[in-house]
Amino acid sequence: MRILLVEDEMNMAAALTAALSRHDIVVDHARTLEIAEEACRSGVHDAVLLDRKLPDGDGLSLIPVLRREQAGLPIIVLSALGSPDHRVAGLDHGADDYLAKPFSTDELLARLRAVMRRPAQIGESMVNVGQLRFNLTERQADVAGEPLDLTRRELLALEILVRRAGRTVPRSALEEAVYGYDDEIASNSLDAHISRLRRKLSTAGVEIHAIRGLGYLLRTAS
Ligand code: CA
């Protein structure tokens, strides 16, 4: 998982980065709204952690901007402004969650997991790519109405590829999605799962394109 942390207090940012890194979460840090907006354009982030009192404005003002770039991007506000009114304002601005400072790393991790579980948008839990249809809520895939018979790991790999269809999914993100932290990962086992997926998707009108040195990308077959 790779997240964008928007936070101007360097101590806070360093502590959070260290804590999240211990859970294999890659953190990109932006100190201002302007830097955050630029960083978000890369489209590589799975979620955003957003402070409010930033040098160039209220973090909440960034939410509609981020939504225009990536509609389904989960956004959690982390703020010392923790009154009920502040929380309501944050959620009404479109944040997926609002965590008042101080908070524990465990709680932040649990909330991150919760927002990542939600389908990108209500009513958009079905993703279609070519003839492939993936139901993010039920975690089921079918090709032209025929259910696909996938192993658990193939399903996990396909889910992350589908969620980011048309974008490169880094190898590390795929490995993280497919394997638990304690699993031993043989160096080529991800590639083996991908080749089996390709075979099972041979009539789906999609291709899983290998981006050398980076990862994989799912798209409609050309
Ligand atoms: Ca601040």
Side-chain angles (χ1 to χ4, degrees):
M1 192 193 298
R2 182 163 176 176
I3 62 155
L4 177 64
L5 170 65
V6 189
E7 171 64 74
D8 61 327
E9 287 154 54
M10 290 315 209
N11 290 342
M12 177 79 183
L16 264 180
T17 302
L20 294 173
S21 302
R22 280 196 289 277
H23 294 269
D24 292 332
I25 297 174
V26 176
V27 179
D28 293 321
H29 174 219
R31 215 167 22 80
T32 64
L33 294 171
E34 192 186 350
I35 297 169
E37 192 179 337
E38 188 62 38
C40 183
R41 290 217 181 91
S42 61
V44 298
H45 301 109
D46 301 296
V48 176
L49 301 177
L50 182 60
D51 182 31
R52 285 195 62 178
K53 288 191 277 185
L54 292 158
D56 50 350
D58 187 337
L60 296 188
S61 67
L62 187 65
I63 296 176
V65 180
L66 297 178
R67 291 272 181 247
R68 273 198 297 279
E69 296 283 332
Q70 280 186 68
L73 186 67
I75 300 170
I76 302 179
V77 174
L78 306 177
S79 177
L81 302 172
S83 75
D85 283 351
H86 287 131
R87 290 164 189 259
V88 168
L91 296 170
D92 280 350
H93 268 77
D96 295 286
D97 203 351
Y98 197 108
L99 197 50
K101 292 175 183 170
F103 51 82
S104 75
T105 308
D106 283 346
E107 183 173 10
L108 175 59
L109 286 167
R111 290 187 186 231
L112 261 177
R113 286 193 294 272
V115 296
M116 300 291 296
R117 272 198 301 271
R118 285 176 204 158
Q121 276 174 348
I122 304 220
E124 287 194 11
S125 56
M126 282 291 190
V127 182
N128 293 284
V129 188
Q131 300 288 306
L132 167 69
R133 195 167 56 153
F134 197 105
N135 183 325
L136 295 168
T137 314
E138 307 283 326
R139 286 186 140 171
Q140 282 168 351
D142 65 71
V143 174
E146 280 292 308
L148 270 180
D149 185 19
L150 301 175
T151 66
R152 192 177 71 86
R153 287 190 167 150
E154 288 163 0
L155 186 69
L156 291 169
L158 184 59
E159 179 179 10
I160 184 166
L161 287 166
V162 160
R163 278 183 186 274
R164 302 194 217 170
R167 290 187 285 149
T168 303
V169 182
R171 198 181 170 83
S172 57
L174 271 160
E175 284 177 343
E176 192 178 313
V178 172
Y179 302 98
Y181 297 125
D182 301 328
D183 289 350
E184 287 279 327
I185 309 176
S187 63
N188 59 354
S189 63
L190 178 66
D191 305 295
H193 290 307
I194 297 289
S195 28
R196 280 194 294 275
L197 262 182
R198 282 190 178 125
R199 276 202 296 281
K200 292 182 179 180
L201 292 170
S202 59
T203 61
V206 300
E207 59 187 21
I208 302 176
H209 187 61
I211 312 288
R212 212 190 150 121
L214 287 177
Y216 288 98
L217 177 155
L218 175 82
R219 64 186 176 198
T220 313
S222 45

Short mmCIF file of all heavy atoms in Angstrom, two decimals, residues 21-79:
data_model
loop_
_atom_site.label_atom_id
_atom_site.label_comp_id
_atom_site.label_asym_id
_atom_site.label_seq_id
_atom_site.Cartn_x
_atom_site.Cartn_y
_atom_site.Cartn_z
N SER A 21 5.67 2.55 7.99
CA SER A 21 6.67 1.75 7.27
C SER A 21 6.84 0.39 7.90
O SER A 21 7.09 -0.60 7.21
CB SER A 21 8.03 2.45 7.26
OG SER A 21 7.90 3.71 6.69
N ARG A 22 6.72 0.34 9.23
CA ARG A 22 6.84 -0.95 9.92
C ARG A 22 5.73 -1.91 9.49
O ARG A 22 5.84 -3.11 9.68
CB ARG A 22 6.80 -0.75 11.44
CG ARG A 22 8.14 -0.31 12.00
CD ARG A 22 8.20 -0.48 13.51
NE ARG A 22 7.35 0.48 14.20
CZ ARG A 22 7.71 1.72 14.47
NH1 ARG A 22 8.91 2.17 14.10
NH2 ARG A 22 6.89 2.54 15.09
N HIS A 23 4.66 -1.36 8.91
CA HIS A 23 3.58 -2.21 8.40
C HIS A 23 3.62 -2.31 6.88
O HIS A 23 2.60 -2.52 6.24
CB HIS A 23 2.23 -1.69 8.89
CG HIS A 23 2.07 -1.80 10.38
ND1 HIS A 23 1.52 -2.89 10.98
CD2 HIS A 23 2.47 -0.97 11.37
CE1 HIS A 23 1.56 -2.73 12.31
NE2 HIS A 23 2.12 -1.58 12.56
N ASP A 24 4.81 -2.07 6.33
CA ASP A 24 5.03 -2.19 4.88
C ASP A 24 4.18 -1.22 4.07
O ASP A 24 3.80 -1.51 2.95
CB ASP A 24 4.76 -3.62 4.40
CG ASP A 24 5.82 -4.58 4.94
OD1 ASP A 24 6.94 -4.10 5.19
OD2 ASP A 24 5.52 -5.76 5.11
N ILE A 25 3.86 -0.09 4.68
CA ILE A 25 3.13 0.93 3.92
C ILE A 25 4.15 1.98 3.46
O ILE A 25 4.94 2.47 4.27
CB ILE A 25 2.04 1.59 4.79
CG1 ILE A 25 1.01 0.53 5.20
CG2 ILE A 25 1.38 2.75 4.05
CD1 ILE A 25 -0.03 1.04 6.19
N VAL A 26 4.14 2.24 2.18
CA VAL A 26 5.05 3.24 1.63
C VAL A 26 4.39 4.61 1.80
O VAL A 26 3.22 4.79 1.46
CB VAL A 26 5.33 2.96 0.14
CG1 VAL A 26 6.21 4.06 -0.45
CG2 VAL A 26 5.97 1.60 -0.02
N VAL A 27 5.13 5.56 2.37
CA VAL A 27 4.56 6.87 2.65
C VAL A 27 5.27 7.94 1.81
O VAL A 27 6.50 8.06 1.85
CB VAL A 27 4.71 7.22 4.15
CG1 VAL A 27 4.13 8.60 4.43
CG2 VAL A 27 4.04 6.17 5.03
N ASP A 28 4.50 8.68 1.05
CA ASP A 28 5.03 9.88 0.39
C ASP A 28 4.54 11.06 1.20
O ASP A 28 3.35 11.16 1.51
CB ASP A 28 4.51 9.98 -1.05
CG ASP A 28 5.06 8.88 -1.92
OD1 ASP A 28 6.25 8.53 -1.76
OD2 ASP A 28 4.31 8.35 -2.76
N HIS A 29 5.46 11.95 1.54
CA HIS A 29 5.10 13.05 2.43
C HIS A 29 5.02 14.37 1.67
O HIS A 29 5.92 14.71 0.90
CB HIS A 29 6.17 13.14 3.55
CG HIS A 29 5.97 14.30 4.44
ND1 HIS A 29 7.02 15.05 4.94
CD2 HIS A 29 4.84 14.87 4.93
CE1 HIS A 29 6.53 16.02 5.70
NE2 HIS A 29 5.22 15.93 5.71
N ALA A 30 3.93 15.09 1.87
CA ALA A 30 3.78 16.43 1.29
C ALA A 30 3.54 17.41 2.44
O ALA A 30 2.73 17.15 3.32
CB ALA A 30 2.61 16.47 0.32
N ARG A 31 4.26 18.52 2.42
CA ARG A 31 4.23 19.49 3.52
C ARG A 31 3.15 20.55 3.34
O ARG A 31 2.75 21.20 4.29
CB ARG A 31 5.60 20.16 3.55
CG ARG A 31 6.17 20.54 4.86
CD ARG A 31 7.66 20.91 4.73
NE ARG A 31 8.08 21.30 3.39
CZ ARG A 31 7.89 22.51 2.87
NH1 ARG A 31 7.29 23.45 3.55
NH2 ARG A 31 8.32 22.78 1.65
N THR A 32 2.74 20.75 2.09
CA THR A 32 1.76 21.80 1.81
C THR A 32 0.67 21.26 0.87
O THR A 32 0.83 20.20 0.26
CB THR A 32 2.42 23.00 1.08
OG1 THR A 32 2.90 22.54 -0.19
CG2 THR A 32 3.59 23.57 1.87
N LEU A 33 -0.42 22.02 0.76
CA LEU A 33 -1.50 21.66 -0.16
C LEU A 33 -0.99 21.61 -1.59
O LEU A 33 -1.36 20.73 -2.37
CB LEU A 33 -2.64 22.69 -0.06
CG LEU A 33 -3.39 22.73 1.27
CD1 LEU A 33 -4.32 23.93 1.32
CD2 LEU A 33 -4.17 21.44 1.47
N GLU A 34 -0.14 22.57 -1.91
CA GLU A 34 0.36 22.66 -3.28
C GLU A 34 1.17 21.42 -3.65
O GLU A 34 0.98 20.82 -4.72
CB GLU A 34 1.22 23.92 -3.41
CG GLU A 34 1.55 24.27 -4.85
CD GLU A 34 2.53 25.44 -4.94
OE1 GLU A 34 2.80 26.08 -3.90
OE2 GLU A 34 3.02 25.68 -6.05
N ILE A 35 2.06 21.02 -2.74
CA ILE A 35 2.88 19.83 -3.00
C ILE A 35 1.99 18.58 -3.07
O ILE A 35 2.18 17.71 -3.92
CB ILE A 35 3.97 19.65 -1.91
CG1 ILE A 35 4.94 20.84 -1.92
CG2 ILE A 35 4.74 18.35 -2.11
CD1 ILE A 35 5.88 20.89 -0.73
N ALA A 36 0.98 18.54 -2.20
CA ALA A 36 0.09 17.38 -2.16
C ALA A 36 -0.67 17.24 -3.48
O ALA A 36 -0.83 16.14 -4.02
CB ALA A 36 -0.89 17.51 -1.00
N GLU A 37 -1.14 18.37 -3.99
CA GLU A 37 -1.91 18.35 -5.24
C GLU A 37 -1.05 17.80 -6.38
O GLU A 37 -1.48 16.99 -7.18
CB GLU A 37 -2.39 19.77 -5.55
CG GLU A 37 -3.43 19.80 -6.64
CD GLU A 37 -3.93 21.21 -6.93
OE1 GLU A 37 -3.82 22.09 -6.04
OE2 GLU A 37 -4.41 21.42 -8.05
N GLU A 38 0.19 18.27 -6.40
CA GLU A 38 1.14 17.81 -7.42
C GLU A 38 1.40 16.30 -7.27
O GLU A 38 1.36 15.55 -8.24
CB GLU A 38 2.44 18.62 -7.25
CG GLU A 38 3.45 18.41 -8.34
CD GLU A 38 2.93 18.85 -9.71
OE1 GLU A 38 2.22 19.87 -9.77
OE2 GLU A 38 3.23 18.14 -10.69
N ALA A 39 1.65 15.88 -6.02
CA ALA A 39 1.99 14.47 -5.76
C ALA A 39 0.84 13.56 -6.15
O ALA A 39 1.05 12.45 -6.66
CB ALA A 39 2.33 14.29 -4.28
N CYS A 40 -0.38 14.03 -5.94
CA CYS A 40 -1.56 13.20 -6.20
C CYS A 40 -1.73 12.91 -7.68
O CYS A 40 -2.31 11.90 -8.07
CB CYS A 40 -2.79 13.91 -5.64
SG CYS A 40 -4.25 12.94 -5.81
N ARG A 41 -1.22 13.81 -8.52
CA ARG A 41 -1.38 13.62 -9.97
C ARG A 41 -0.70 12.36 -10.47
O ARG A 41 -1.04 11.83 -11.51
CB ARG A 41 -0.77 14.82 -10.73
CG ARG A 41 -1.58 16.05 -10.55
CD ARG A 41 -1.65 16.91 -11.81
NE ARG A 41 -2.44 18.09 -11.48
CZ ARG A 41 -1.91 19.21 -11.03
NH1 ARG A 41 -0.60 19.33 -10.89
NH2 ARG A 41 -2.68 20.22 -10.72
N SER A 42 0.29 11.86 -9.70
CA SER A 42 1.00 10.66 -10.13
C SER A 42 0.05 9.46 -10.16
O SER A 42 0.30 8.48 -10.84
CB SER A 42 2.17 10.38 -9.20
OG SER A 42 1.68 10.16 -7.89
N GLY A 43 -1.05 9.53 -9.38
CA GLY A 43 -2.04 8.45 -9.39
C GLY A 43 -1.55 7.16 -8.75
O GLY A 43 -2.16 6.12 -8.94
N VAL A 44 -0.48 7.21 -7.98
CA VAL A 44 0.07 5.96 -7.42
C VAL A 44 -0.43 5.67 -6.01
O VAL A 44 -0.11 4.63 -5.45
CB VAL A 44 1.62 5.98 -7.38
CG1 VAL A 44 2.19 6.10 -8.77
CG2 VAL A 44 2.15 7.07 -6.47
N HIS A 45 -1.20 6.58 -5.44
CA HIS A 45 -1.55 6.41 -4.03
C HIS A 45 -2.86 5.65 -3.84
O HIS A 45 -3.80 5.80 -4.60
CB HIS A 45 -1.61 7.77 -3.33
CG HIS A 45 -0.29 8.49 -3.41
ND1 HIS A 45 -0.08 9.59 -4.21
CD2 HIS A 45 0.89 8.20 -2.84
CE1 HIS A 45 1.19 9.97 -4.10
NE2 HIS A 45 1.80 9.14 -3.28
N ASP A 46 -2.88 4.86 -2.76
CA ASP A 46 -4.07 4.08 -2.44
C ASP A 46 -4.96 4.82 -1.46
O ASP A 46 -6.12 4.47 -1.30
CB ASP A 46 -3.67 2.74 -1.81
CG ASP A 46 -2.80 1.94 -2.75
OD1 ASP A 46 -3.30 1.58 -3.82
OD2 ASP A 46 -1.62 1.73 -2.43
N ALA A 47 -4.38 5.79 -0.75
CA ALA A 47 -5.16 6.54 0.23
C ALA A 47 -4.38 7.82 0.59
O ALA A 47 -3.18 7.92 0.34
CB ALA A 47 -5.38 5.72 1.49
N VAL A 48 -5.11 8.79 1.15
CA VAL A 48 -4.48 10.05 1.56
C VAL A 48 -4.78 10.29 3.04
O VAL A 48 -5.92 10.11 3.48
CB VAL A 48 -5.02 11.24 0.72
CG1 VAL A 48 -4.44 12.56 1.21
CG2 VAL A 48 -4.71 11.05 -0.75
N LEU A 49 -3.74 10.66 3.79
CA LEU A 49 -3.92 11.09 5.18
C LEU A 49 -3.70 12.60 5.18
O LEU A 49 -2.66 13.08 4.76
CB LEU A 49 -2.90 10.41 6.09
CG LEU A 49 -2.95 8.87 6.11
CD1 LEU A 49 -1.85 8.31 7.00
CD2 LEU A 49 -4.32 8.38 6.57
N LEU A 50 -4.70 13.32 5.63
CA LEU A 50 -4.73 14.76 5.39
C LEU A 50 -4.86 15.56 6.68
O LEU A 50 -5.86 15.45 7.39
CB LEU A 50 -5.92 15.04 4.45
CG LEU A 50 -6.18 16.46 3.99
CD1 LEU A 50 -5.00 17.01 3.20
CD2 LEU A 50 -7.45 16.49 3.13
N ASP A 51 -3.85 16.37 6.97
CA ASP A 51 -3.89 17.30 8.09
C ASP A 51 -4.75 18.50 7.67
O ASP A 51 -4.99 18.71 6.49
CB ASP A 51 -2.45 17.75 8.39
CG ASP A 51 -2.36 18.70 9.58
OD1 ASP A 51 -3.20 18.60 10.51
OD2 ASP A 51 -1.45 19.55 9.57
N ARG A 52 -5.25 19.28 8.65
CA ARG A 52 -6.07 20.43 8.28
C ARG A 52 -5.29 21.74 8.27
O ARG A 52 -5.31 22.47 7.28
CB ARG A 52 -7.28 20.54 9.22
CG ARG A 52 -8.32 19.48 8.91
CD ARG A 52 -9.63 19.77 9.56
NE ARG A 52 -10.21 21.04 9.10
CZ ARG A 52 -11.40 21.49 9.50
NH1 ARG A 52 -12.12 20.80 10.35
NH2 ARG A 52 -11.87 22.63 9.04
N LYS A 53 -4.63 22.05 9.39
CA LYS A 53 -3.95 23.35 9.46
C LYS A 53 -2.61 23.27 8.75
O LYS A 53 -1.61 22.83 9.32
CB LYS A 53 -3.79 23.78 10.92
CG LYS A 53 -5.13 24.20 11.54
CD LYS A 53 -4.96 24.87 12.89
CE LYS A 53 -4.83 23.84 13.99
NZ LYS A 53 -4.78 24.41 15.34
N LEU A 54 -2.62 23.68 7.50
CA LEU A 54 -1.42 23.61 6.68
C LEU A 54 -0.98 25.02 6.31
O LEU A 54 -1.79 25.95 6.35
CB LEU A 54 -1.71 22.77 5.42
CG LEU A 54 -1.96 21.28 5.73
CD1 LEU A 54 -2.75 20.61 4.63
CD2 LEU A 54 -0.63 20.57 5.97
N PRO A 55 0.30 25.20 5.95
CA PRO A 55 0.81 26.56 5.71
C PRO A 55 0.02 27.30 4.63
O PRO A 55 -0.13 28.52 4.70
CB PRO A 55 2.25 26.33 5.24
CG PRO A 55 2.60 24.96 5.68
CD PRO A 55 1.33 24.18 5.79
N ASP A 56 -0.49 26.58 3.64
CA ASP A 56 -1.21 27.28 2.57
C ASP A 56 -2.72 27.05 2.60
O ASP A 56 -3.39 27.24 1.60
CB ASP A 56 -0.61 26.96 1.19
CG ASP A 56 -0.42 25.45 0.95
OD1 ASP A 56 -0.59 24.67 1.91
OD2 ASP A 56 -0.11 25.08 -0.18
N GLY A 57 -3.25 26.66 3.77
CA GLY A 57 -4.72 26.62 3.87
C GLY A 57 -5.23 25.41 4.64
O GLY A 57 -4.45 24.64 5.21
N ASP A 58 -6.56 25.29 4.65
CA ASP A 58 -7.23 24.18 5.35
C ASP A 58 -7.17 22.94 4.45
O ASP A 58 -7.54 23.00 3.27
CB ASP A 58 -8.70 24.57 5.61
CG ASP A 58 -9.43 23.54 6.47
OD1 ASP A 58 -9.02 22.36 6.52
OD2 ASP A 58 -10.44 23.92 7.09
N GLY A 59 -6.72 21.84 5.03
CA GLY A 59 -6.62 20.59 4.28
C GLY A 59 -7.93 20.19 3.61
O GLY A 59 -7.93 19.58 2.55
N LEU A 60 -9.05 20.58 4.24
CA LEU A 60 -10.35 20.19 3.67
C LEU A 60 -10.52 20.73 2.25
O LEU A 60 -11.21 20.12 1.43
CB LEU A 60 -11.51 20.68 4.54
CG LEU A 60 -11.61 20.10 5.96
CD1 LEU A 60 -12.92 20.55 6.61
CD2 LEU A 60 -11.50 18.59 5.96
N SER A 61 -9.89 21.87 1.96
CA SER A 61 -10.06 22.46 0.62
C SER A 61 -9.42 21.58 -0.46
O SER A 61 -9.70 21.74 -1.64
CB SER A 61 -9.43 23.86 0.58
OG SER A 61 -8.03 23.76 0.71
N LEU A 62 -8.56 20.66 -0.02
CA LEU A 62 -7.89 19.79 -1.00
C LEU A 62 -8.79 18.63 -1.44
O LEU A 62 -8.58 18.04 -2.50
CB LEU A 62 -6.60 19.23 -0.37
CG LEU A 62 -5.65 18.44 -1.27
CD1 LEU A 62 -5.07 19.35 -2.35
CD2 LEU A 62 -4.53 17.81 -0.46
N ILE A 63 -9.80 18.31 -0.62
CA ILE A 63 -10.59 17.10 -0.89
C ILE A 63 -11.26 17.13 -2.27
O ILE A 63 -11.10 16.19 -3.05
CB ILE A 63 -11.60 16.82 0.25
CG1 ILE A 63 -10.83 16.53 1.54
CG2 ILE A 63 -12.50 15.64 -0.10
CD1 ILE A 63 -11.70 16.33 2.77
N PRO A 64 -11.97 18.23 -2.62
CA PRO A 64 -12.58 18.23 -3.97
C PRO A 64 -11.54 18.16 -5.09
O PRO A 64 -11.81 17.56 -6.13
CB PRO A 64 -13.34 19.57 -4.02
CG PRO A 64 -13.10 20.28 -2.76
CD PRO A 64 -12.35 19.39 -1.82
N VAL A 65 -10.36 18.72 -4.84
CA VAL A 65 -9.31 18.68 -5.86
C VAL A 65 -8.83 17.23 -6.05
O VAL A 65 -8.70 16.75 -7.18
CB VAL A 65 -8.11 19.57 -5.42
CG1 VAL A 65 -7.00 19.54 -6.46
CG2 VAL A 65 -8.57 21.00 -5.15
N LEU A 66 -8.63 16.54 -4.93
CA LEU A 66 -8.20 15.14 -5.01
C LEU A 66 -9.27 14.28 -5.67
O LEU A 66 -8.98 13.39 -6.46
CB LEU A 66 -7.91 14.58 -3.61
CG LEU A 66 -6.77 15.24 -2.83
CD1 LEU A 66 -6.63 14.60 -1.45
CD2 LEU A 66 -5.45 15.13 -3.57
N ARG A 67 -10.52 14.58 -5.36
CA ARG A 67 -11.64 13.80 -5.92
C ARG A 67 -11.73 13.96 -7.43
O ARG A 67 -12.15 13.03 -8.13
CB ARG A 67 -12.96 14.25 -5.30
CG ARG A 67 -13.10 13.88 -3.85
CD ARG A 67 -13.70 12.49 -3.68
NE ARG A 67 -13.85 12.18 -2.28
CZ ARG A 67 -13.16 11.24 -1.64
NH1 ARG A 67 -12.29 10.53 -2.30
NH2 ARG A 67 -13.33 11.02 -0.37
N ARG A 68 -11.37 15.16 -7.92
CA ARG A 68 -11.40 15.34 -9.38
C ARG A 68 -10.35 14.48 -10.05
O ARG A 68 -10.54 13.96 -11.14
CB ARG A 68 -11.16 16.82 -9.74
CG ARG A 68 -12.42 17.65 -9.75
CD ARG A 68 -12.23 18.94 -10.53
NE ARG A 68 -11.23 19.82 -9.93
CZ ARG A 68 -11.48 20.63 -8.91
NH1 ARG A 68 -12.67 20.69 -8.37
NH2 ARG A 68 -10.53 21.41 -8.42
N GLU A 69 -9.19 14.33 -9.36
CA GLU A 69 -8.11 13.52 -9.93
C GLU A 69 -8.45 12.03 -9.87
O GLU A 69 -8.25 11.30 -10.81
CB GLU A 69 -6.80 13.75 -9.16
CG GLU A 69 -6.25 15.17 -9.26
CD GLU A 69 -5.58 15.42 -10.61
OE1 GLU A 69 -5.07 14.46 -11.20
OE2 GLU A 69 -5.59 16.59 -11.04
N GLN A 70 -8.93 11.59 -8.70
CA GLN A 70 -9.21 10.16 -8.48
C GLN A 70 -10.45 10.06 -7.63
O GLN A 70 -10.39 10.19 -6.42
CB GLN A 70 -8.07 9.52 -7.69
CG GLN A 70 -6.84 9.15 -8.49
CD GLN A 70 -5.86 8.39 -7.61
OE1 GLN A 70 -6.12 7.27 -7.20
NE2 GLN A 70 -4.74 9.00 -7.30
N ALA A 71 -11.58 9.80 -8.28
CA ALA A 71 -12.87 9.86 -7.59
C ALA A 71 -12.94 8.95 -6.36
O ALA A 71 -13.47 9.32 -5.33
CB ALA A 71 -13.99 9.51 -8.56
N GLY A 72 -12.37 7.76 -6.46
CA GLY A 72 -12.55 6.79 -5.37
C GLY A 72 -11.44 6.77 -4.33
O GLY A 72 -11.41 5.88 -3.50
N LEU A 73 -10.54 7.73 -4.40
CA LEU A 73 -9.38 7.73 -3.50
C LEU A 73 -9.81 7.91 -2.05
O LEU A 73 -10.43 8.91 -1.71
CB LEU A 73 -8.45 8.87 -3.92
CG LEU A 73 -7.11 8.98 -3.21
CD1 LEU A 73 -6.22 7.80 -3.58
CD2 LEU A 73 -6.43 10.29 -3.59
N PRO A 74 -9.51 6.94 -1.16
CA PRO A 74 -9.89 7.11 0.24
C PRO A 74 -9.08 8.23 0.91
O PRO A 74 -7.87 8.32 0.73
CB PRO A 74 -9.53 5.76 0.88
CG PRO A 74 -9.40 4.81 -0.27
CD PRO A 74 -8.92 5.63 -1.42
N ILE A 75 -9.80 9.09 1.64
CA ILE A 75 -9.14 10.22 2.31
C ILE A 75 -9.52 10.20 3.79
O ILE A 75 -10.70 10.20 4.14
CB ILE A 75 -9.60 11.56 1.69
CG1 ILE A 75 -9.24 11.61 0.19
CG2 ILE A 75 -8.96 12.74 2.44
CD1 ILE A 75 -9.85 12.79 -0.55
N ILE A 76 -8.50 10.16 4.65
CA ILE A 76 -8.74 10.24 6.09
C ILE A 76 -8.12 11.54 6.60
O ILE A 76 -6.93 11.80 6.38
CB ILE A 76 -8.10 9.05 6.84
CG1 ILE A 76 -8.66 7.72 6.31
CG2 ILE A 76 -8.35 9.18 8.35
CD1 ILE A 76 -8.06 6.49 6.99
N VAL A 77 -8.94 12.36 7.26
CA VAL A 77 -8.43 13.60 7.83
C VAL A 77 -7.85 13.29 9.21
O VAL A 77 -8.47 12.57 10.01
CB VAL A 77 -9.56 14.66 7.94
CG1 VAL A 77 -9.06 15.90 8.67
CG2 VAL A 77 -10.07 15.02 6.55
N LEU A 78 -6.65 13.80 9.46
CA LEU A 78 -6.00 13.64 10.76
C LEU A 78 -5.82 15.04 11.31
O LEU A 78 -5.05 15.82 10.75
CB LEU A 78 -4.61 13.00 10.61
CG LEU A 78 -4.52 11.68 9.85
CD1 LEU A 78 -3.06 11.24 9.75
CD2 LEU A 78 -5.33 10.60 10.55
N SER A 79 -6.55 15.39 12.35
CA SER A 79 -6.48 16.79 12.76
C SER A 79 -6.61 16.98 14.26
O SER A 79 -7.31 16.22 14.93
CB SER A 79 -7.57 17.59 12.05
OG SER A 79 -7.54 18.93 12.50
#
